[in-house]
């Protein structure tokens, strides 16, 4: 039963502390997304990777957020230092982008993890 | 920023009725996808429709796409209590498949 695994499921931390969220994508998937969900902003795309290379992280506050893929089985999202406004549910999703000659990637269905609920106090 | 916007924001119907949700988007797309999210859970993919398709069916789901109007609709027929969830549309762009989501429709099925 292939699934995206996120850890931890819940995290409560004090303002100023470093937070690391981890994601294990589905084996064989070549695309990883990080989303943040809040009531006010909805689902925001923070960053996404293809074949472990970052393609777009324009949705991510650069001064405190960083996203990496140390290897094909692990994606990390770090916040340092954390702030109360970072409180949200963070989702990782993976997918297998199909490529057509001359058209680039298409039809990537995203498989979501259960999310990490982050509370910064 | 959101690419898509769902309408209505919330919808309550009786079990057995049909539910229709709409999605509008802003830029050219490669495909449009619909996802469901149960409370406190991750999103689950429902159906994908390509930009060169006009209609697609999957079980009780029917999706239409009008690229001239930059809009899509999701119809759930014969609704069930288990269909209670939030529904999101997501668009994929040509070439990079950067999936961006709409604001969602909260659907409540009344038993």
């Amino acid at each position: 039963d292939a699934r995206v695994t996120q850890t931890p499921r819940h995290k409560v931390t004090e303002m100023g502390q470093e937070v690391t969220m981890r994601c294990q994508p589905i084996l064989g998937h070549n695309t990883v997304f990080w989303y943040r969900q809040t009531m006010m902003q909805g689902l925001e795309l923070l960053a996404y990777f293809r074949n472990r290379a970052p393609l777009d992280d324009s949705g991510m506050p650069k001064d405190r957020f960083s996203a990496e893929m140390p290897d094909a089985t692990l994606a990390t999202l770090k916040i340092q230092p954390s702030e109360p406004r970072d409180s949200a549910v963070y989702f990782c999703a993976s997918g297998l982008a199909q490529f057509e000659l001359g058209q680039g990637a298409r039809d990537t269905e995203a498989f979501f993890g259960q999310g990490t609920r982050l509370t910064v106090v | 920023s959101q690419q898509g916007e769902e309408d209505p924001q919330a919808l309550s119907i009786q079990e057995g009725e049909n539910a229709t949700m709409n999605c509008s988007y802003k830029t050219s797309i490669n495909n449009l996808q619909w996802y469901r999210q149960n409370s406190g859970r991750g999103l689950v993919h429902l159906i994908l429709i390509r930009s060169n398709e006009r209609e697609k069916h999957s079980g009780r789901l029917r999706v239409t796409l009008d690229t001239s109007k930059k809009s899509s609709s999701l119809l759930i027929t014969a609704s069930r209590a288990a269909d209670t969830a939030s529904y999101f549309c997501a668009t994929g762009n040509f070439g990079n498949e950067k999936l961006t989501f709409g604001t969602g429709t909260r659907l409540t099925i009344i038993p």
Side-chain angles (χ1 to χ4, degrees):
Chain A
D1 183 24
R3 64 181 67 184
V4 175
T5 304
Q6 289 187 249
T7 56
R9 290 293 311 276
H10 303 272
K11 177 72 175 179
V12 180
T13 190
E14 291 185 346
M15 182 174 62
Q17 296 296 306
E18 177 179 302
V19 175
T20 299
M21 289 168 273
R22 294 178 173 80
C23 168
Q24 181 176 358
I26 293 174
L27 188 65
H29 280 185
N30 58 8
T31 306
V32 173
F33 303 89
W34 280 105
Y35 292 92
R36 175 172 64 185
Q37 187 175 38
T38 61
M39 288 294 292
M40 294 299 294
Q41 300 296 328
L43 265 167
E44 300 174 277
L45 177 64
L46 297 176
Y48 80 106
F49 294 76
R50 171 107 357 92
N51 297 318
R52 295 177 55 201
L55 285 191
D56 191 328
D57 60 2
S58 59
M60 202 164 64
K62 298 294 188 304
D63 56 339
R64 299 183 300 108
F65 284 61
S66 62
E68 295 179 347
M69 282 201 72
D71 60 62
T73 65
L74 177 64
T76 62
L77 180 66
K78 291 185 181 181
I79 308 175
Q80 168 63 9
S82 58
E83 298 181 0
R85 59 179 168 154
D86 300 329
S87 297
V89 181
Y90 291 81
F91 287 104
C92 171
S94 72
L96 181 61
Q98 302 174 60
F99 291 86
E100 290 192 13
L101 190 63
Q103 293 194 32
R106 60 180 300 166
D107 300 347
T108 304
E109 172 189 339
F111 293 79
F112 279 74
Q114 294 299 301
T116 293
R117 182 175 294 276
L118 174 66
T119 303
V120 183
V121 298
Chain B
S1 62
Q2 304 291 347
Q3 157 73 315
E5 190 166 317
E6 284 86 341
D7 169 59
Q9 290 189 341
L11 178 63
S12 292
I13 60 173
Q14 293 291 135
E15 191 169 18
E17 293 181 341
N18 296 340
T20 300
M21 288 158 274
N22 303 297
C23 168
S24 59
Y25 57 92
K26 299 172 186 173
T27 61
S28 296
I29 61 170
N30 177 13
N31 65 72
L32 187 141
Q33 306 179 34
W34 285 90
Y35 288 77
R36 183 186 71 218
Q37 184 180 33
N38 290 89
S39 182
R41 309 295 294 272
L43 280 76
V44 175
H45 182 266
L46 295 176
I47 195 166
L48 179 151
I49 186 166
R50 290 185 173 184
S51 58
N52 61 353
E53 298 176 313
R54 291 296 169 259
E55 187 172 312
K56 202 162 185 179
H57 296 254
S58 176
R60 295 184 295 113
L61 304 180
R62 172 177 167 252
V63 169
T64 62
L65 179 64
D66 187 337
T67 53
S68 67
K69 295 181 180 179
K70 290 187 170 58
S71 67
S72 173
S73 67
L74 171 67
L75 169 66
I76 303 174
T77 61
S79 63
R80 305 168 181 169
D83 295 330
T84 293
S86 292
Y87 291 82
F88 295 86
C89 66
T91 52
N93 301 319
F94 284 104
N96 60 21
E97 283 302 284
K98 177 178 172 179
L99 271 183
T100 53
F101 283 80
T103 50
T105 292
R106 175 69 187 167
L107 175 65
T108 302
I109 307 300
I110 304 166

